[in-house]
Amino acid sequence: MFKLHTLCCAALSAWVASAYDVTLGFNGAPQIENRTIDEIYEAALAEGGIVTLWHGGDETNQQDSLKQAFEARFPNITLNVTVDVSKYHDGNIDRQLATGGVYVDSVILQTLHDYPRWDDEGALLHYIPLDFFNIQPSFRDLRGAWYGVAVFAWSFLWNENRVSEGPKEFDDFLRPEYKDKLVLTYPNDDDAVLYAFDLIMQQYGYEWFEKLLAQNPRWVRGTGTPVTLLSQSNGTSSVTFTSSAGLAPTSPIGIAFPTKGQFVSWAQRAAILKDSPHPEGAKLLHNYILSEEYQAQNGGWSVRKDIPAPEGYQDLADIPSSNPNGFEGFMADRERAERLRLFFEDKIGTPQGLSSLKDDL
């Protein structure tokens, strides 16, 4: 009995040691990068030339362009990237942290609320990359535990061959012409879409939602699915507001943002795990993603304040119909988000069909 008691106490002590609040450790000073990117590259090569990235998304190929660009820029470096829904990635990161088996280097996710929690648990590397101070201040943690690396925004999208005119405001989605032509992501399957519906209905009321349901929208899983369906030459889906196709989509996709209603935008966060097996590779990846070379060519709004918006668009901070910092507060209030999720589940049912990562759309 004594031996069992001793073992239990030892296990409890180990758990407490790994779970205590690290605030009073006063050891949060960041590593400040002062090497050139080529010097970081040499360090990453010496480390083994591997980077393992877990990136949030709902289509397996969504980060293929990043992998190709990164590996082309840095020969003999391999970027192993796994795309999955952020709400699943974060639980698997928690599992790695709980078991001491961290094998992921970099995490770039939509679940913004996870990063302060992971930092409080002492799980994140405090690291200031080369272009850190060019990032919009509200998009970065003071000590470099995390920072935004890409701006995401939901826009109005439509197939110009299937409707006479695209929507300009959320009321337009109730037009008779759009009946049976709307394709929308389940709000109870994606927090960013849930936030979009919350913003809309706080402004337009529940009656707007009732009228939207009368339009007989097609509900789908994944925010990439609506764009795919809109782009199909033989499809009937024509209009959406739960997706993005960049700020200059290819024909026949039209794009607009509301000026009266609020549209969703946020900065997708990145962090390096403190116990990353390839920290130099992760540093190289983050410095590359934040570089002017990469940020200026991504075709959308940049997280960097020194890179102007694409031609024809205002800087995101100057657009009154979006608040890129609002999503963080929504994500942090998990109790409210869960109430909203269950509300919509009651109205439209549980998400049906395969995950968008496994279907063929």
Side-chain angles (χ1 to χ4, degrees):
M1 176 64 72
F2 175 78
K3 184 176 182 180
L4 177 61
H5 175 75
T6 301
L7 290 173
C8 289
C9 288
L12 179 61
S13 297
W15 178 84
V16 170
S18 66
Y20 70 94
D21 185 342
V22 300
T23 300
L24 298 182
F26 302 115
N27 58 354
Q31 300 176 20
I32 300 175
E33 188 58 77
N34 55 19
R35 297 171 294 177
T36 68
I37 198 163
D38 288 332
E39 289 172 334
I40 304 171
Y41 172 37
E42 291 301 321
L45 284 172
E47 183 183 65
I50 295 173
V51 193
T52 299
L53 165 66
W54 278 12
H55 202 296
D58 45 36
E59 296 288 349
T60 57
N61 63 352
Q62 282 176 335
Q63 296 306 317
D64 285 0
S65 61
L66 171 59
K67 176 179 172 64
Q68 292 161 6
F70 181 70
E71 292 181 347
R73 174 66 175 79
F74 302 104
N76 300 315
I77 298 285
T78 299
L79 175 59
N80 296 318
V81 56
T82 300
V83 175
D84 200 352
V85 180
S86 294
K87 64 183 180 181
Y88 300 147
H89 264 331
D90 67 350
N92 288 313
I93 291 293
D94 285 337
R95 173 67 179 166
Q96 290 181 42
L97 295 172
T99 60
V102 173
Y103 60 88
V104 171
D105 302 306
S106 168
V107 287
I108 302 178
L109 303 177
Q110 173 181 297
T111 50
L112 307 187
H113 59 294
D114 282 319
Y115 291 84
R117 174 176 65 85
W118 284 330
D119 189 32
D120 286 344
E121 294 170 357
L124 302 183
L125 180 69
H126 292 176
Y127 173 68
I128 304 294
L130 291 171
D131 291 296
F132 181 80
F133 294 104
N134 286 323
I135 302 171
Q136 294 282 356
S138 63
F139 292 168
R140 52 181 164 88
D141 173 65
L142 183 65
R143 298 170 302 171
W146 48 261
Y147 29 83
V149 293
V151 172
F152 286 29
W154 300 151
S155 55
F156 296 169
L157 299 171
W158 63 93
N159 186 309
E160 296 173 328
N161 295 332
R162 295 180 193 153
V163 295
S164 62
E165 183 181 5
K168 299 298 186 293
E169 300 293 343
F170 286 106
D171 275 344
D172 292 337
F173 287 87
L174 309 180
R175 284 162 34 185
E177 180 189 359
Y178 293 166
K179 186 175 177 63
D180 300 320
K181 294 183 178 180
L182 300 180
V183 54
L184 302 172
T185 306
Y186 284 99
N188 45 322
D189 200 29
D190 185 289
D191 278 339
V193 177
L194 184 66
Y195 181 45
F197 273 84
D198 186 31
L199 289 175
I200 298 164
M201 293 169 65
Q202 293 297 336
Q203 181 171 2
Y204 290 90
Y206 179 71
E207 296 77 12
W208 176 91
F209 182 63
E210 287 187 322
K211 294 176 181 177
L212 182 77
L213 293 181
Q215 293 285 72
N216 191 33
R218 176 178 177 179
W219 298 101
V220 299
R221 301 192 68 185
T223 58
T225 305
V227 179
T228 300
L229 292 172
L230 260 59
S231 302
Q232 290 178 340
S233 59
N234 59 347
T236 58
S237 296
S238 306
V239 191
T240 190
F241 61 83
T242 62
S243 197
S244 174
L247 298 185
T250 57
S251 179
I253 303 301
I255 183 173
F257 290 91
T259 58
K260 298 177 182 177
Q262 294 286 308
F263 68 92
V264 173
S265 65
W266 76 95
Q268 194 92 325
R269 285 181 180 170
I272 299 172
L273 295 178
K274 189 172 69 176
D275 293 332
S276 153
H278 308 105
E280 296 299 334
K283 292 173 186 177
L284 179 65
L285 175 65
H286 286 205
N287 278 280
Y288 174 68
I289 293 176
L290 288 171
S291 68
E292 183 176 5
E293 170 188 356
Y294 185 81
Q295 289 282 318
Q297 57 82 43
N298 67 12
W301 285 295
S302 174
V303 295
R304 291 178 51 152
K305 61 182 185 292
D306 61 331
I307 295 180
E311 185 176 356
Y313 288 91
Q314 293 177 277
D315 286 340
L316 189 59
D318 297 330
I319 300 176
S321 56
S322 192
N323 174 14
N325 299 312
F327 186 45
E328 177 182 11
F330 177 84
M331 292 295 283
D333 191 346
R334 300 316 300 166
E335 179 181 347
R336 183 171 183 274
E338 181 66 7
R339 292 203 312 270
L340 282 168
R341 186 184 70 79
L342 293 175
F343 170 82
F344 285 108
E345 185 171 294
D346 176 57
K347 305 305 176 185
I348 62 177
T350 56
Q352 299 298 302
L354 293 173
S355 162
S356 55
L357 288 153
K358 297 178 181 179
D359 66 15
D360 57 359
L361 291 177

